[in-house]
Amino acid sequence: MGLTRVNLLAGLIGAYIIRHPEIEAPLGLPSGNGYDRPLIIFDRNFRTDGSLYMNFTGNNPTIHPQWRPEYFGDAIIVNGKAWPRMNVRRRKYRFRIINASNARFFKFFFMNGLTFIHVGSDSVYLERPVTLKEILLGPSEIADVIVDFSESKSHSAILANGAPYPYPSGDPVNEANSKVMKFIIKYQREVDTWPFPNKLIKYPSPDLSNASVTRYIAMFEYTSNINEPTHLYLNGKSYNEPATETPKVGTTEVWDVINLTGDNHPLHIHVGLFVVLDQTELVDIEAFKDCMTKMNDAIKCQISKYARGKKVQVLAHEKGWKNVYKMTPGYVTKILVRFSYIHSNASYVFDATKEPGYVYHCHILDHEDNVMIRPLKFIN
């Protein structure tokens, strides 16, 4: 607690791929010979001697001497290298793109117009592939994509970034952090034998009628007298306060996540996968925020009176099961959370009720550390 942002900033980041050959082999996705690669992408700042740089003075040094609301770096790192190049052939490649930044969102796109064939999010496949021109990933989100370099009319392709920071209303990208990596594409054309699947994996559909509990999860931000953020809370509570989210193992719940801040917060629920049902804008949000700040009770503050603005459509490639999702500021995001295995609806084979339990939190690491994180305790 409090050190996650520093530990990952220092480089304690990695990835491994768990494969299920019997299920995945029939899909015919690119594999072997370097055609299936993780791209672990994050941002860093460096001193002139090449060492990592982090500003050790906080925004409110008299209150919290070291904490800053978000860490952003101008150098974009991919698999340990700054702005790397990768030689590719004119064929399909599979990339598992992981946003491993502390706080930066990435809006990925190819400057020469290449597209992404999106086949999976986080740890779950889509039912059908979705073709996209750009992909927005919050910290810790994963996009499993196929890129067909035979479609390129040029011999190089730059993977770029267009997300402002903080997201969504922060500074626009600059020359440095708008570029991610460059692909050098071989001149020679070749026959690509990898098929393009029309169907992937269909999991049991989420059943709203089976939801046993509806919970309201409010995201708060607190500021100093100079209007600088000091800390963030979920449901107005610190991490050290007793757990209030105590789901029963094997059940399904509805969570209405109320974002009362100006930032987009990628929510992560440990050992729980969820489906986003809808996002509804809060009208007259300042009045609702005032009530929530005083009472911290969505029902008593008549959330139904305020959650009646415009709806944000869940994008096709994000309609499946997720374990991280972006909570739009000023909106209520309704999610259906499953505390069991989604492929079979069977309960866990391990004892989830054992201490010390689990957590749910914002995956902006600087927010998680101070202190947008709450305990999650399971019961039988």
Side-chain angles (χ1 to χ4, degrees), residues 267-373:
L267 180 71
H268 178 43
I269 304 173
H270 285 211
V271 300
L273 289 176
F274 54 88
V275 171
V276 182
L277 302 175
D278 59 54
Q279 291 191 302
T280 306
E281 183 185 25
L282 289 164
V283 299
D284 198 7
I285 187 172
E286 291 304 320
F288 182 64
K289 190 185 297 185
D290 287 344
C291 182
M292 288 293 290
T293 302
K294 295 172 184 176
M295 303 181 66
N296 194 26
D297 188 315
I299 300 298
K300 291 181 179 178
C301 288
Q302 297 179 294
I303 186 171
S304 60
K305 173 182 173 182
Y306 298 97
R308 52 182 177 84
K310 64 183 179 182
K311 299 264 187 186
V312 172
Q313 183 180 2
V314 181
L315 300 176
H317 68 287
E318 295 187 325
K319 287 184 177 180
W321 292 98
K322 298 277 292 173
N323 60 29
V324 181
Y325 194 78
K326 302 168 287 288
M327 301 294 149
T328 302
Y331 278 72
V332 178
T333 303
K334 185 182 292 293
I335 62 176
L336 186 75
V337 191
R338 184 71 187 165
F339 295 110
S340 65
Y341 298 115
I342 61 158
H343 61 280
S344 64
N345 285 337
S347 188
Y348 302 127
V349 296
F350 57 92
D351 185 359
T353 65
K354 284 187 175 181
E355 294 294 336
Y358 300 89
V359 293
Y360 69 97
H361 59 92
C362 170
H363 224 297
I364 293 175
L365 302 180
D366 314 279
H367 295 178
E368 172 191 351
D369 277 352
N370 192 36
V371 66
M372 210 171 203
I373 179 171

Side-chain angles (χ1 to χ4, degrees), residues 169-321:
S169 56
D171 296 327
V173 292
N174 56 39
E175 180 63 25
N177 56 49
S178 66
K179 305 294 194 305
V180 178
M181 67 181 295
K182 186 174 185 178
F183 295 92
I184 309 299
I185 307 169
K186 287 191 175 182
Y187 283 75
Q188 183 178 356
R189 294 191 174 273
E190 59 182 85
V191 177
D192 188 348
T193 59
W194 293 104
F196 180 73
N198 291 320
K199 294 183 180 180
L200 295 165
I201 295 177
K202 180 175 175 58
Y203 302 91
S205 300
D207 188 353
L208 191 61
S209 66
N210 285 338
S212 58
V213 173
T214 296
R215 301 183 190 273
Y216 295 92
I217 310 295
M219 295 174 160
F220 292 91
E221 181 179 66
Y222 303 87
T223 59
S224 65
N225 54 12
I226 57 172
N227 204 34
E228 284 286 347
T230 58
H231 60 289
L232 303 101
Y233 276 163
L234 292 169
N235 281 345
K237 297 181 183 298
S238 171
Y239 172 70
N240 294 318
E241 295 182 62
T244 50
E245 282 63 59
T246 55
K248 188 175 180 180
V249 176
T251 60
T252 300
E253 296 188 350
V254 172
W255 287 21
D256 284 338
V257 185
I258 308 162
N259 188 350
L260 299 174
T261 80
D263 289 337
N264 191 311
H265 299 282
L267 180 71
H268 178 43
I269 304 173
H270 285 211
V271 300
L273 289 176
F274 54 88
V275 171
V276 182
L277 302 175
D278 59 54
Q279 291 191 302
T280 306
E281 183 185 25
L282 289 164
V283 299
D284 198 7
I285 187 172
E286 291 304 320
F288 182 64
K289 190 185 297 185
D290 287 344
C291 182
M292 288 293 290
T293 302
K294 295 172 184 176
M295 303 181 66
N296 194 26
D297 188 315
I299 300 298
K300 291 181 179 178
C301 288
Q302 297 179 294
I303 186 171
S304 60
K305 173 182 173 182
Y306 298 97
R308 52 182 177 84
K310 64 183 179 182
K311 299 264 187 186
V312 172
Q313 183 180 2
V314 181
L315 300 176
H317 68 287
E318 295 187 325
K319 287 184 177 180
W321 292 98

Side-chain angles (χ1 to χ4, degrees), residues 127-143:
E127 184 177 344
R128 295 180 183 275
V130 178
T131 300
L132 303 168
K133 290 185 177 180
E134 62 182 30
I135 297 175
L136 177 68
L137 289 185
S140 193
E141 272 194 300
I142 301 171

